[in-house]
Amino acid sequence: MRTEIGLLRTMLLIRRLEAAWAEAYARDEIGGIPPALSTGQEAVSAGACAALEPGDVVFTTHRGQAPQVARGLDPTRIMAELYGRRTGYNKGKSYHVTDVSRGVIGMGGIVAAQVPVAAGMALAQKLRGTDRVSLVFFGDGAANEGAVHESANLAAMWTLPLILLCENNGYCISQPVAVAVKAASIADRAAAYGLPGALVDGNDPLAVRDAVAAAVARARAGGGTTLVEARTVRLGGHLAHDPQHYRSREEIAAAWEACPIKRFRARLAAAGLLTEEASARMEAEIEAEIAAAVEFARQSPVPEPREAFEDLWA
Amino acid sequence: MSRFDRKLFRPGGAVKPEEREWPSIRGAINEAMREEMRRDPTVFQMGEDIAGAPPFGVTTGLAAEFGLERVRDTPCSEVAVVGAAVGAALGGMRPIVEFQFGDFLSVAIDQLTHQAALLRYLTGGQVRVPLVIRLPCGGGQGTGAQHAQSLYSWFAHAPGIKVALPATSLDAKGLMKAAIRDDNPVLFFEHKALYRTRWPVPPEFQDPDHVIPFGRAAIRRAGDDLTVVATLTMVHHALAAAEALAAEGISVEVVDPRTLVPLDRETIVGSVRKTGRLLAVDEAYLTCGIQGEILALVTERAFGALKAPPRRLGNPGVPVPFAPPLEDAVLPDAGRIAAAIRAMVTP
């Protein structure tokens, strides 16, 4: 998935998988807490995960489906989890999907809580003498949590192989980042921790990939932690049911103009890397893949009540 | 009864000649961690000042033997350190975290109760989170309200956390070994007033594989008229009370659960079925405290065996004060335990 076409495919797969999730929620086919979608933010996960290798570990946020897809998790088992089925990765216990074998730890129930845990994974990677790294996603809202500040300082002090990836989508639920962060950027905070910081266009998967790849290379070589801020735009609401009354129509329309998938597809077409035909074929394949995932989820059994009492203790 | 005056637990007291060969609780915990770090290279430590200047001396000498990579002094960042322990545990390590005072765990409670405790469940059993957090606790030393609490009821209340409370040197060593080898998060509450106390031990204390399994209470003294369930210092206060009451013809059984999660319900219920009376004593705040859980357990399971209403002693719900006369006023002691027992067994 490191190729340009691979990145586009990942982004489309994220978009379509999440759309199917939101549609299932709108149809009342699944209930519970509404879907947290990454619509418009796909380039961040696609680009960042393209810079990783097996054995590296990512820690996700409440908006976690994008990195799950980008790390190659099986869409059928993701969808089954979102449907609350026992065939899901977490056996219906959490929509923060985890697949340890592919290095995805699903967190996000508590904003920023994944950041110190990722620092600990990086510590384990270092103490065990590996050259593997950890990458943790967190939002602009989470950036104001103490857990992030403490972890950044600890990671800096201990030279941990960690990438702090701030996925700045412009909003903390309804709060624009401009009224929650006084400084010009979150990346600038890196200097205060004694870390290198990078600000990248989060709607450009190649820019994200390259910035994260540089951070990963540094971490693998024993150079420690990097803070990367990827600026993107949330196109949907905080959760799928959010009508976004706090944003103007003009703002949302402008954001859709900057849609990373639209932009990247045009770029690849202009570069001669993607024909109309190839694009249509890719979309049809993804459509079929997601339809199969939904069908798998629908046909999967719900958990047995007794399973509520399992998996607490090791 | 004056032998168990709380002041005797205060630092600075001379070691009695007959106790010189006995291990202290502090030394027992140190020895357990040292042996486990020798046995298992994944065991490592994090905490404030634990390498450079261990506040209660529990980690003394470990940095010299194992180095600063495995005995890591941390910044004053409780959230990051507990979170790092969770992540390191996910990554195949077995971290031990020291808090200088257990009360400070309140700062990092989310990382414990929502992350360490829940991640295995939330991931459908994909991960294990083996970690130990060491929490100096308890009053009686004038350390003040934010350094003297016994907050294990908070965590026994939450799913996914084991809770150990050692009252003797043998238990301190054996329970710590069990805690380190456990694949779940364990809170290890160490009463500050007990650190320097020394207790006789059997030969198996020296056995590096002598582990005291969680969930098995110890009957510290057998008796027929009443069961006292107590932990940490209150075990020793209860034993002093029992000794005094024996002279009055009152026979008291003292049960030390040793771990609250898991709780040895069978031993507690079995004891009350025998004696017919229950007094639960702890420094914990009474409201929603562990004492109430023990009373509930017994009234649900052995109501018919009760000859008198069960009672509980504990901090009635005020901060643990700084000045010694105020502190003594809110914590149970041998005298109050004896008075409660007399009232319960007297027709």
Side-chain angles (χ1 to χ4, degrees):
Chain A
M1 293 298 134
R2 286 152 184 270
T3 64
E4 282 81 350
I5 294 295
L7 286 168
L8 178 65
R9 191 179 195 289
T10 297
M11 291 162 67
L12 282 166
L13 190 59
I14 295 165
R15 178 75 57 95
R16 193 64 202 96
L17 180 142
E18 292 196 334
W21 180 25
E23 288 156 15
Y25 181 81
R27 283 195 304 272
D28 265 346
E29 202 173 338
I30 55 175
I33 192 163
L37 308 176
S38 294
T39 314
Q41 303 174 216
E42 297 89 347
V44 179
S45 287
C49 293
L52 300 175
E53 292 178 4
D56 296 330
V57 183
V58 306
F59 290 79
T60 62
T61 72
H62 56 285
R63 221 174 284 291
Q65 273 58 47
Q68 294 156 20
V69 172
R71 286 230 84 188
L73 270 62
D74 179 354
T76 63
R77 294 192 60 204
I78 296 173
M79 196 62 78
E81 185 65 34
L82 300 175
Y83 270 72
R85 305 303 163 108
R86 67 190 306 200
T87 51
Y89 275 105
N90 302 30
K91 302 194 275 189
K93 295 247 169 69
S94 164
Y95 86 17
H96 307 301
V97 167
T98 289
D99 181 3
V100 170
S101 69
R102 285 192 179 265
V104 174
I105 307 292
M107 297 184 69
I110 305 285
V111 167
Q114 71 279 17
V115 181
V117 179
M121 178 64 79
L123 175 61
Q125 288 165 323
K126 179 176 167 157
L127 286 174
R128 294 170 68 204
T130 76
D131 69 347
R132 299 297 87 178
V133 307
S134 292
L135 182 149
V136 59
F137 292 88
F138 60 98
D140 48 285
N144 290 334
E145 291 279 5
V148 173
H149 301 301
E150 287 192 18
S151 304
N153 182 61
L154 193 76
M157 290 306 304
W158 288 355
T159 322
L160 298 181
L162 178 68
I163 295 90
L164 296 162
L165 181 53
C166 180
E167 184 169 353
N168 181 348
N169 68 5
Y171 278 90
C172 179
I173 306 187
S174 72
Q175 184 176 48
V177 67
V179 299
V181 176
K182 183 73 173 171
S185 88
I186 290 161
D188 282 350
R189 293 179 182 176
Y193 305 126
L195 295 174
L199 177 62
V200 295
D201 178 356
N203 278 14
D204 178 351
L206 300 179
V208 176
R209 182 193 65 187
D210 293 347
V212 173
V216 168
R218 182 168 179 268
R220 284 206 211 289
T225 301
T226 303
L227 171 60
V228 178
E229 177 184 355
R231 288 264 175 94
T232 181
V233 180
R234 198 186 76 201
L235 294 179
H238 166 61
L239 300 178
H241 69 311
D242 172 6
Q244 301 200 84
H245 294 314
Y246 47 84
R247 294 170 92 178
S248 70
R249 286 172 185 224
E250 294 73 24
E251 180 190 330
I252 294 173
W256 276 100
E257 281 306 304
C259 165
I261 291 177
K262 179 179 170 181
R263 208 170 81 172
F264 195 52
R265 185 157 34 197
R267 184 166 154 192
L268 295 188
L273 293 170
L274 183 71
T275 63
E276 283 285 334
E277 189 190 8
S279 180
R281 195 165 54 237
M282 182 188 288
E283 296 227 19
E285 282 169 11
I286 288 170
E287 198 59 40
E289 191 175 352
I290 297 305
V294 168
E295 195 51 30
F296 175 81
R298 284 178 177 157
Q299 298 302 325
S300 290
V302 297
E304 295 289 334
R306 63 169 170 75
E307 292 172 43
F309 304 95
E310 297 172 355
D311 296 324
L312 181 60
W313 301 108
Chain B
M1 207 165 305
S2 62
R3 185 179 181 301
F4 285 95
D5 185 322
R6 200 177 291 112
K7 290 182 183 67
L8 280 187
F9 294 132
R10 288 191 174 138
V15 178
K16 294 192 181 70
E18 71 271 20
E19 295 184 1
R20 283 205 182 107
E21 301 302 312
W22 299 349
S24 67
I25 283 189
R26 173 172 62 194
I29 297 168
N30 179 283
E31 199 59 23
M33 296 192 299
R34 185 185 303 273
E35 289 174 4
E36 292 304 297
M37 290 182 77
R38 285 175 184 162
R39 189 181 66 81
D40 181 350
T42 67
V43 179
F44 76 105
Q45 310 246 358
M46 293 187 282
E48 292 163 23
D49 307 301
I50 61 169
F56 288 106
V58 183
T59 56
T60 298
L62 297 182
E65 177 168 350
F66 300 104
L68 297 177
E69 286 290 297
R70 289 183 70 191
V71 182
R72 306 179 79 88
D73 273 338
T74 69
C76 191
S77 300
E78 287 81 0
V79 175
V81 171
V82 175
V86 177
L90 295 178
M93 305 296 288
R94 290 184 178 275
I96 303 171
V97 175
E98 175 180 296
F99 273 64
Q100 291 203 343
F101 290 89
D103 314 59
F104 305 166
L105 185 55
S106 58
V107 175
I109 203 163
D110 170 67
Q111 285 296 327
L112 176 71
T113 61
H114 294 148
Q115 313 309 328
L118 300 190
L119 276 172
R120 180 175 179 79
Y121 187 83
L122 294 178
T123 60
Q126 289 186 61
V127 302
R128 293 180 303 174
V129 189
L131 60 86
V132 180
I133 302 181
R134 298 185 30 248
L135 301 160
C137 72
Q141 301 200 305
T143 48
Q146 292 142 339
H147 301 69
Q149 299 170 95
S150 298
L151 296 176
Y152 24 82
S153 303
W154 290 10
F155 304 103
H157 180 77
I161 304 163
K162 295 189 177 181
V163 177
L165 306 166
T168 70
S169 301
L170 181 66
D171 282 0
K173 187 174 179 193
L175 291 171
M176 175 52 80
K177 283 176 166 282
I180 294 169
R181 297 182 188 191
D182 203 295
D183 281 335
N184 300 284
V186 177
L187 296 186
F188 201 82
F189 283 90
E190 304 166 4
H191 201 294
K192 298 186 292 293
L194 291 176
Y195 271 141
R196 293 165 56 95
T197 62
R198 293 170 178 272
W199 307 94
V201 290
E204 59 260 35
F205 182 83
Q206 304 301 337
D207 177 358
D209 283 318
H210 183 67
V211 171
I212 295 181
F214 282 14
R216 289 196 202 161
I219 297 177
R220 300 289 182 195
R221 180 189 177 104
D224 300 316
D225 297 326
L226 182 142
T227 298
V228 177
V229 177
T231 66
L232 297 171
T233 53
M234 288 303 134
V235 173
H236 305 293
H237 285 280
L239 288 169
E243 184 66 25
L245 291 166
E248 302 171 22
I250 299 171
S251 172
V252 175
E253 181 145 305
V254 178
V255 177
D256 173 4
R258 301 200 281 196
T259 57
L260 298 182
V261 181
L263 182 64
D264 182 352
R265 296 181 169 85
E266 305 310 317
T267 297
I268 294 169
V269 170
S271 175
V272 179
R273 283 190 197 284
K274 181 179 77 168
T275 64
R277 296 180 183 87
L278 170 67
L279 174 66
V281 186
D282 208 286
E283 289 186 34
Y285 300 120
L286 279 175
T287 303
C288 298
I290 195 65
Q291 305 96 321
E293 180 64 26
I294 289 164
L295 262 64
L297 165 72
V298 167
T299 49
E300 282 180 341
R301 301 258 295 259
F303 188 77
L306 289 170
K307 298 171 188 165
R311 281 195 60 183
R312 53 191 166 145
L313 293 178
N315 180 318
V318 295
V320 183
F322 168 56
L326 300 179
E327 188 176 38
D328 287 345
V330 306
L331 298 178
D333 61 16
R336 288 186 187 119
I337 293 168
I341 293 171
R342 277 191 204 97
M344 289 175 73
V345 299
T346 306

PDB file of all heavy atoms in Angstrom, chain A residues 238-251:
ATOM      1  N   HIS A 238     -19.082  15.429  14.451  1.00  0.00           N
ATOM      2  CA  HIS A 238     -18.248  14.727  15.433  1.00  0.00           C
ATOM      3  C   HIS A 238     -18.589  13.241  15.414  1.00  0.00           C
ATOM      4  O   HIS A 238     -17.719  12.388  15.321  1.00  0.00           O
ATOM      5  CB  HIS A 238     -18.476  15.322  16.820  1.00  0.00           C
ATOM      6  CG  HIS A 238     -17.937  14.466  17.923  1.00  0.00           C
ATOM      7  ND1 HIS A 238     -16.601  14.145  18.018  1.00  0.00           N
ATOM      8  CD2 HIS A 238     -18.562  13.844  18.960  1.00  0.00           C
ATOM      9  CE1 HIS A 238     -16.421  13.365  19.089  1.00  0.00           C
ATOM     10  NE2 HIS A 238     -17.586  13.168  19.652  1.00  0.00           N
ATOM     11  N   LEU A 239     -19.872  12.951  15.509  1.00  0.00           N
ATOM     12  CA  LEU A 239     -20.373  11.595  15.320  1.00  0.00           C
ATOM     13  C   LEU A 239     -21.399  11.658  14.187  1.00  0.00           C
ATOM     14  O   LEU A 239     -21.836  12.744  13.775  1.00  0.00           O
ATOM     15  CB  LEU A 239     -21.005  11.046  16.602  1.00  0.00           C
ATOM     16  CG  LEU A 239     -20.077  10.958  17.828  1.00  0.00           C
ATOM     17  CD1 LEU A 239     -20.841  10.436  19.036  1.00  0.00           C
ATOM     18  CD2 LEU A 239     -18.863  10.084  17.552  1.00  0.00           C
ATOM     19  N   ALA A 240     -21.791  10.496  13.701  1.00  0.00           N
ATOM     20  CA  ALA A 240     -22.563  10.446  12.457  1.00  0.00           C
ATOM     21  C   ALA A 240     -23.915  11.166  12.549  1.00  0.00           C
ATOM     22  O   ALA A 240     -24.486  11.549  11.530  1.00  0.00           O
ATOM     23  CB  ALA A 240     -22.774   8.999  12.042  1.00  0.00           C
ATOM     24  N   HIS A 241     -24.424  11.345  13.752  1.00  0.00           N
ATOM     25  CA  HIS A 241     -25.748  11.964  13.888  1.00  0.00           C
ATOM     26  C   HIS A 241     -25.655  13.479  14.092  1.00  0.00           C
ATOM     27  O   HIS A 241     -26.667  14.140  14.264  1.00  0.00           O
ATOM     28  CB  HIS A 241     -26.470  11.355  15.085  1.00  0.00           C
ATOM     29  CG  HIS A 241     -25.843  11.749  16.395  1.00  0.00           C
ATOM     30  ND1 HIS A 241     -24.486  11.643  16.611  1.00  0.00           N
ATOM     31  CD2 HIS A 241     -26.374  12.253  17.524  1.00  0.00           C
ATOM     32  CE1 HIS A 241     -24.207  12.060  17.836  1.00  0.00           C
ATOM     33  NE2 HIS A 241     -25.325  12.435  18.409  1.00  0.00           N
ATOM     34  N   ASP A 242     -24.438  14.017  14.055  1.00  0.00           N
ATOM     35  CA  ASP A 242     -24.219  15.420  14.417  1.00  0.00           C
ATOM     36  C   ASP A 242     -24.576  16.321  13.235  1.00  0.00           C
ATOM     37  O   ASP A 242     -23.921  16.261  12.192  1.00  0.00           O
ATOM     38  CB  ASP A 242     -22.734  15.568  14.805  1.00  0.00           C
ATOM     39  CG  ASP A 242     -22.317  17.008  15.031  1.00  0.00           C
ATOM     40  OD1 ASP A 242     -23.198  17.894  15.002  1.00  0.00           O
ATOM     41  OD2 ASP A 242     -21.109  17.234  15.239  1.00  0.00           O
ATOM     42  N   PRO A 243     -25.588  17.180  13.350  1.00  0.00           N
ATOM     43  CA  PRO A 243     -25.995  18.028  12.217  1.00  0.00           C
ATOM     44  C   PRO A 243     -25.076  19.229  11.988  1.00  0.00           C
ATOM     45  O   PRO A 243     -25.260  19.969  11.017  1.00  0.00           O
ATOM     46  CB  PRO A 243     -27.398  18.488  12.620  1.00  0.00           C
ATOM     47  CG  PRO A 243     -27.390  18.476  14.101  1.00  0.00           C
ATOM     48  CD  PRO A 243     -26.459  17.365  14.520  1.00  0.00           C
ATOM     49  N   GLN A 244     -24.095  19.410  12.856  1.00  0.00           N
ATOM     50  CA  GLN A 244     -23.087  20.474  12.677  1.00  0.00           C
ATOM     51  C   GLN A 244     -23.688  21.869  12.547  1.00  0.00           C
ATOM     52  O   GLN A 244     -23.299  22.647  11.677  1.00  0.00           O
ATOM     53  CB  GLN A 244     -22.210  20.199  11.453  1.00  0.00           C
ATOM     54  CG  GLN A 244     -21.462  18.884  11.520  1.00  0.00           C
ATOM     55  CD  GLN A 244     -20.276  18.880  10.581  1.00  0.00           C
ATOM     56  OE1 GLN A 244     -19.220  19.364  10.939  1.00  0.00           O
ATOM     57  NE2 GLN A 244     -20.449  18.346   9.398  1.00  0.00           N
ATOM     58  N   HIS A 245     -24.631  22.203  13.406  1.00  0.00           N
ATOM     59  CA  HIS A 245     -25.222  23.544  13.369  1.00  0.00           C
ATOM     60  C   HIS A 245     -24.202  24.632  13.673  1.00  0.00           C
ATOM     61  O   HIS A 245     -24.456  25.810  13.440  1.00  0.00           O
ATOM     62  CB  HIS A 245     -26.386  23.639  14.369  1.00  0.00           C
ATOM     63  CG  HIS A 245     -27.544  22.769  13.985  1.00  0.00           C
ATOM     64  ND1 HIS A 245     -28.033  22.712  12.706  1.00  0.00           N
ATOM     65  CD2 HIS A 245     -28.309  21.922  14.723  1.00  0.00           C
ATOM     66  CE1 HIS A 245     -29.054  21.864  12.662  1.00  0.00           C
ATOM     67  NE2 HIS A 245     -29.239  21.363  13.870  1.00  0.00           N
ATOM     68  N   TYR A 246     -23.080  24.223  14.205  1.00  0.00           N
ATOM     69  CA  TYR A 246     -22.042  25.193  14.588  1.00  0.00           C
ATOM     70  C   TYR A 246     -21.112  25.538  13.429  1.00  0.00           C
ATOM     71  O   TYR A 246     -20.164  26.282  13.612  1.00  0.00           O
ATOM     72  CB  TYR A 246     -21.244  24.629  15.771  1.00  0.00           C
ATOM     73  CG  TYR A 246     -20.820  23.185  15.596  1.00  0.00           C
ATOM     74  CD1 TYR A 246     -19.661  22.845  14.900  1.00  0.00           C
ATOM     75  CD2 TYR A 246     -21.613  22.140  16.095  1.00  0.00           C
ATOM     76  CE1 TYR A 246     -19.296  21.529  14.699  1.00  0.00           C
ATOM     77  CE2 TYR A 246     -21.262  20.820  15.902  1.00  0.00           C
ATOM     78  CZ  TYR A 246     -20.102  20.515  15.200  1.00  0.00           C
ATOM     79  OH  TYR A 246     -19.746  19.194  15.011  1.00  0.00           O
ATOM     80  N   ARG A 247     -21.340  24.948  12.266  1.00  0.00           N
ATOM     81  CA  ARG A 247     -20.499  25.286  11.102  1.00  0.00           C
ATOM     82  C   ARG A 247     -21.399  25.837   9.992  1.00  0.00           C
ATOM     83  O   ARG A 247     -22.519  25.358   9.790  1.00  0.00           O
ATOM     84  CB  ARG A 247     -19.769  24.058  10.555  1.00  0.00           C
ATOM     85  CG  ARG A 247     -18.748  23.488  11.491  1.00  0.00           C
ATOM     86  CD  ARG A 247     -18.256  22.138  10.984  1.00  0.00           C
ATOM     87  NE  ARG A 247     -17.069  22.232  10.137  1.00  0.00           N
ATOM     88  CZ  ARG A 247     -16.450  21.163   9.622  1.00  0.00           C
ATOM     89  NH1 ARG A 247     -16.920  19.941   9.849  1.00  0.00           N
ATOM     90  NH2 ARG A 247     -15.371  21.308   8.877  1.00  0.00           N
ATOM     91  N   SER A 248     -20.869  26.820   9.249  1.00  0.00           N
ATOM     92  CA  SER A 248     -21.670  27.389   8.151  1.00  0.00           C
ATOM     93  C   SER A 248     -21.651  26.449   6.945  1.00  0.00           C
ATOM     94  O   SER A 248     -20.734  25.644   6.779  1.00  0.00           O
ATOM     95  CB  SER A 248     -21.088  28.747   7.748  1.00  0.00           C
ATOM     96  OG  SER A 248     -19.842  28.567   7.104  1.00  0.00           O
ATOM     97  N   ARG A 249     -22.680  26.575   6.127  1.00  0.00           N
ATOM     98  CA  ARG A 249     -22.720  25.774   4.901  1.00  0.00           C
ATOM     99  C   ARG A 249     -21.529  26.066   4.001  1.00  0.00           C
ATOM    100  O   ARG A 249     -21.001  25.180   3.336  1.00  0.00           O
ATOM    101  CB  ARG A 249     -23.998  26.105   4.108  1.00  0.00           C
ATOM    102  CG  ARG A 249     -25.221  25.500   4.743  1.00  0.00           C
ATOM    103  CD  ARG A 249     -26.469  26.016   4.045  1.00  0.00           C
ATOM    104  NE  ARG A 249     -27.643  25.523   4.727  1.00  0.00           N
ATOM    105  CZ  ARG A 249     -28.705  25.036   4.098  1.00  0.00           C
ATOM    106  NH1 ARG A 249     -28.742  25.004   2.780  1.00  0.00           N
ATOM    107  NH2 ARG A 249     -29.734  24.601   4.783  1.00  0.00           N
ATOM    108  N   GLU A 250     -21.144  27.338   3.998  1.00  0.00           N
ATOM    109  CA  GLU A 250     -20.017  27.724   3.151  1.00  0.00           C
ATOM    110  C   GLU A 250     -18.735  27.019   3.609  1.00  0.00           C
ATOM    111  O   GLU A 250     -17.944  26.543   2.789  1.00  0.00           O
ATOM    112  CB  GLU A 250     -19.803  29.249   3.202  1.00  0.00           C
ATOM    113  CG  GLU A 250     -20.936  30.069   2.586  1.00  0.00           C
ATOM    114  CD  GLU A 250     -22.211  30.084   3.447  1.00  0.00           C
ATOM    115  OE1 GLU A 250     -22.126  29.882   4.683  1.00  0.00           O
ATOM    116  OE2 GLU A 250     -23.306  30.268   2.872  1.00  0.00           O
ATOM    117  N   GLU A 251     -18.577  26.967   4.921  1.00  0.00           N
ATOM    118  CA  GLU A 251     -17.366  26.330   5.450  1.00  0.00           C
ATOM    119  C   GLU A 251     -17.337  24.850   5.080  1.00  0.00           C
ATOM    120  O   GLU A 251     -16.302  24.314   4.658  1.00  0.00           O
ATOM    121  CB  GLU A 251     -17.326  26.483   6.981  1.00  0.00           C
ATOM    122  CG  GLU A 251     -16.095  25.843   7.585  1.00  0.00           C
ATOM    123  CD  GLU A 251     -16.141  25.766   9.116  1.00  0.00           C
ATOM    124  OE1 GLU A 251     -16.757  26.635   9.734  1.00  0.00           O
ATOM    125  OE2 GLU A 251     -15.546  24.820   9.663  1.00  0.00           O
TER     126      GLU A 251
END
